[in-house]
Amino acid sequence: MNRKASSREEWATRIASLDQQTPARKEPITVGRILATALALVEAEGFDALTMRRVAAALQTGPASLYAHVRNKAELDDLLIGALSKNVIAPKPDAARWREQVLDVCGQLRDQFLRYPGIARAALSAPPTNLDTLRITEGLLAIFLAGGVSPRAAAWAIDAVLLYVSAYTVESSLRGELDRGEVLERLRMLPASHFPCISAHVDELNSGEGHERFEFAIRSMLVSAG
């Protein structure tokens, strides 16, 4: 076979190979991809939708592939809270502004939890073991101590404010968009003879815009702390 014929055959082979699709390599499963997928699932469907099987399906793999990186659902929950905690910035303690700093840290964590409906239940289900979660506790403790709060009072206050952040955000995810007009109407229908205090203060019971009640509760706890 001469060189010309050989070159023609090589050319034909190269053209034919164009129709042979090389399968794309699957992106490897990593802890980072697992967490990102889990957070996207919670953001779209809420915390109740989060299972190892759902995450595995979204990653186009089997649950066994996940267990090679995350031991179980409890560890996944802990890692998710840690991932959100990374986004919270603890300021340098300022004795003159320690209450405002605590409120700011709590507000940051609240906003992280609100983005992922119900995810704060993961924070309520087990004590924190993630280093990123404990970094928030360390930051808050430093702020309290700088403000002259005793170590025990600071420890108890941290427990209280973090518990309230979780409870507040879980309740928000359960209530959804509350029809405040409907609530007011129902309260105004109550007979004053049986509910004199409620009838006299209906507007106050349903007052507050945005996160005003959240801030009120945190500030009240800080007054008790010192």
Side-chain angles (χ1 to χ4, degrees), residues 2-3 10 14-15 18 34 36 40 55 99-100 111 115 120 152 154 174 177 200 203 213 222:
N2 59 38
R3 177 61 185 165
E10 291 174 0
R14 289 167 62 186
I15 292 175
L18 293 176
I34 292 171
V55 175
R99 289 186 176 86
E100 292 300 322
D111 292 344
R115 180 178 174 183
R152 189 172 81 159
L174 294 175
E177 290 297 324
D203 291 333
R213 289 184 176 229
L222 298 183

Side-chain angles (χ1 to χ4, degrees), residues 130-151:
N130 190 286
L131 294 179
D132 290 305
T133 305
L134 291 171
R135 183 182 58 81
I136 294 180
T137 300
E138 172 69 20
L140 286 173
L141 183 57
I143 293 171
F144 275 104
L145 295 178
V149 179
S150 71

Side-chain angles (χ1 to χ4, degrees), residues 184 186-207:
L184 272 172
R186 287 171 179 253
L187 291 178
R188 288 187 175 123
M189 291 172 64
L190 294 173
S193 57
H194 289 75
F195 302 92
C197 292
I198 291 179
S199 297
H201 303 288
V202 169
D203 291 333
E204 286 79 4
L205 286 172
N206 202 44
S207 63

Side-chain angles (χ1 to χ4, degrees), residues 52-70:
M52 298 292 278
R53 188 173 296 278
R54 287 291 306 277
V55 175
L59 289 169
Q60 297 184 327
T61 188
S65 298
L66 269 59
Y67 292 124
H69 303 276
V70 180

Side-chain angles (χ1 to χ4, degrees), residues 161-175:
V161 297
L162 292 182
L163 181 62
Y164 180 71
V165 170
S166 295
Y168 178 89
T169 54
V170 168
E171 182 187 45
S172 296
S173 69
L174 294 175
R175 284 189 175 185

